[in-house]
Amino acid sequence: MFLQKIKKITAFVFDVDGVLTTGDVLAAESGELLRTFNIKDGYAMQLAIKKGYQICIISGGQGQAMQQRFERLGITDIFLGVGDKVAVYHDFVSRHQIDHTAVLYMGDDMPDLKVMQLVGLPVCPADAVPEIRAVAEYISPFEGGKTAVRDVIEKVLKVQGKWYDPNPLAVDSGK
């Protein structure tokens, strides 16, 4: 069943804190909250975009550095400071005319629960909260911010025969 669902995926939607980051934040003297991102996750995201997949970021967190990181990877659907993730998700799939069964969503905490119940393939990192783990159809063996995103993108692209990039560039993951 899991492999059948992977074959249908054309879009990825990711939370940020706890999925693309470890969930740790460093509070700078300026008041900005600083996060670290994994380069391998970045490589997988930009490759998925090159191969024609839609990627959407929906996060309650915000910051100019986050926005710039995702833009550098080629992501155009970036929604930060979001209170209602369901409304943003519905807008994303509607604008791109994506069937819900073709969406993989990775979340890690309670604000992700309702969206995860709408998508074709709800997944989570290994360190997600129990309620999220209960609705996830796949739990990555990797924690958030430690290649859980790479794990799910790689699985989808490999099953669909699109993982290999004959001309990978070193700048693709870090841009």
Side-chain angles (χ1 to χ4, degrees), residues 18-148:
V19 171
L20 283 159
T21 75
T22 61
D24 297 327
V25 291
L26 177 64
E29 288 296 323
S30 66
E32 184 178 7
L33 300 178
L34 306 175
R35 298 159 172 89
T36 59
F37 293 92
N38 190 289
I39 292 296
K40 291 181 178 95
D41 288 341
Y43 177 79
M45 288 189 293
Q46 65 77 35
L47 179 61
I49 291 167
K50 281 183 183 177
K51 299 292 183 166
Y53 295 85
Q54 295 288 330
I55 293 187
C56 178
I57 303 295
I58 305 175
S59 177
Q62 53 191 333
Q64 188 60 33
M66 287 173 49
Q67 180 80 27
Q68 290 174 354
R69 168 69 176 148
F70 300 131
E71 288 174 355
R72 287 183 188 129
L73 293 172
I75 300 169
T76 57
D77 291 290
I78 306 164
F79 304 95
L80 305 177
V82 172
D84 184 356
K85 290 186 175 191
V86 171
V88 172
Y89 167 74
H90 280 303
D91 179 62
F92 166 72
V93 295
S94 176
R95 277 187 299 105
H96 293 285
Q97 299 178 337
I98 302 168
D99 187 284
H100 296 285
T101 61
V103 179
L104 178 151
Y105 184 98
M106 180 176 266
D108 72 305
D109 210 343
M110 296 309 292
D112 302 306
L113 182 64
K114 289 183 180 177
V115 181
M116 290 179 71
Q117 293 170 331
L118 299 173
V119 302
L121 189 53
V123 302
C124 69
D127 56 343
V129 300
E131 295 88 349
I132 296 300
R133 292 171 60 90
V135 300
E137 293 186 32
Y138 173 73
I139 300 171
S140 174
F142 302 99
E143 294 180 354
K146 298 183 178 178
T147 70

